[in-house]
Amino acid sequence: MFMIFDSSNNTHLKTDGDFVSSTVDFSSLLNEDVALDLSAHLDARISHLDARISPKHKNLQYLITNNSLYRPLKAAHLSTQQSKSSERQATDVLISLFDLLFAEQNVELIRGSGEPEYFPANNDQPARIEFAHGFFASALHEISHWCIAGEARRKLADFGYWYAADGRSAAQQQAFERLEIKPQALECLFSLACQRPFQVSQDNLFADFDTSNSTFPTDVYQQASHYINHPNKLPRDAQLLLWALLTIGFTR
């Protein structure tokens, strides 16, 4: 789910994106030393600052470190023959991990068959984060938007955004890129923590204006770097998930 703000009518728009190539090397952000240092910082923050998690923090740490269930998340290089089944297995594991970490928040991560969508909790039904077509990258992207959304937006369908197709104006595209920097920076860190490649999406395959001067890939890179250097600036739920993914992906 990719979101833009249309300042002409003061409404929010949502778009579904396409990945684009970029000369920015996102893999350089998170080597093993950086990952372990970031994990240690997040571990300390979670155990001391998050009242919901700290009582069971050490149990979570033991579980995700020693349970072989979570190993499929570490799947940077999949062969052609194994990729489809391994991708589904990794997505299943991500769903299980999300449910474990956020069980107290009345929300579920759901493999969708169509386009991504967020449904707030309703009556006795938990909130649902449905990601597109069962894709692992889509799951990470939708989780990123959920992490960014505050309490008020989590009560709204699709966090209060509207759909907008590709082919937007230059002004709409600039708004899209501004609002996508932080979600895609989170998605980048989640992907790298799983030892998977990351590509930005500018969702502008049908743009009829010059996009060559866009700084979006660099902006996402810089925001991700800022999060690494200042983990306290990460959204609270993003801190927990990133800590878990780093613990799984980089445990010696």
Side-chain angles (χ1 to χ4, degrees):
M1 176 169 58
F2 299 103
M3 302 177 180
I4 67 172
F5 178 78
D6 181 0
S7 57
S8 64
N9 59 13
N10 202 36
T11 60
H12 289 80
L13 305 174
K14 182 189 79 172
T15 70
D16 295 310
D18 301 285
F19 294 113
V20 296
S21 61
S22 169
T23 58
V24 177
D25 180 14
F26 289 96
S27 65
S28 65
L29 281 166
L30 202 68
N31 59 35
E32 184 176 15
D33 289 338
V34 173
L36 291 172
D37 184 62
L38 178 58
S39 179
H41 277 86
L42 292 172
D43 183 76
R45 287 188 59 79
I46 292 165
S47 60
H48 290 95
L49 299 180
D50 197 327
R52 299 167 308 153
I53 295 299
S54 55
K56 62 178 182 180
H57 173 240
K58 293 304 177 184
N59 289 335
L60 280 174
Q61 186 176 42
Y62 178 83
L63 178 61
I64 65 178
T65 301
N66 294 282
N67 195 333
S68 60
L69 168 69
Y70 299 113
R71 289 174 186 165
L73 288 177
K74 301 168 65 173
H77 305 290
L78 302 174
S79 71
T80 303
Q81 292 77 17
Q82 293 177 325
S83 60
K84 188 173 182 180
S85 60
S86 297
E87 185 78 357
R88 182 176 180 87
Q89 184 183 18
T91 305
D92 286 341
V93 172
L94 179 62
I95 292 172
S96 296
L97 179 65
F98 183 90
D99 290 345
L100 173 69
L101 296 176
F102 303 113
E104 298 169 0
Q105 296 208 47
N106 197 32
V107 60
E108 295 178 341
L109 181 64
I110 304 293
R111 175 187 285 105
S113 59
E115 298 306 318
E117 193 165 0
Y118 172 77
F119 301 90
N122 183 22
N123 297 325
D124 295 330
Q125 298 299 315
R128 304 197 315 277
I129 305 169
E130 292 194 3
F131 56 96
H133 308 291
F135 295 148
F136 189 89
S138 177
L140 292 183
H141 186 84
E142 298 311 310
I143 292 172
S144 298
H145 275 294
W146 178 77
C147 288
I148 292 289
E151 182 178 352
R153 284 208 171 274
R154 290 183 181 182
K155 296 178 181 178
L156 303 174
D158 266 344
F159 308 114
Y161 293 90
W162 299 91
Y163 178 78
D166 191 0
R168 297 178 296 273
S169 69
Q172 288 176 330
Q173 182 64 29
Q174 290 174 357
F176 158 79
E177 293 181 3
R178 282 197 307 272
L179 291 183
E180 276 289 314
I181 290 172
K182 288 186 178 180
Q184 292 201 33
L186 288 185
E187 181 189 350
C188 172
L189 294 181
F190 294 155
S191 299
L192 297 178
C194 295
Q195 300 185 34
R196 290 170 174 259
F198 170 77
Q199 289 181 299
V200 296
S201 174
Q202 291 170 274
D203 189 45
N204 61 353
L205 294 179
F206 302 106
D208 59 359
F209 52 88
D210 182 12
T211 62
S212 61
N213 293 324
S214 172
T215 62
F216 183 61
T218 302
D219 294 338
V220 173
Y221 181 98
Q222 291 177 344
Q223 181 64 53
S225 179
H226 178 74
Y227 280 145
I228 290 172
N229 292 317
H230 304 279
N232 60 304
K233 299 298 184 182
L234 284 159
R236 182 181 61 183
D237 292 322
Q239 291 184 34
L240 180 60
L241 178 59
L242 183 57
W243 164 76
L245 294 175
L246 289 169
T247 301
I248 293 167
F250 289 91
T251 299
R252 284 172 172 164

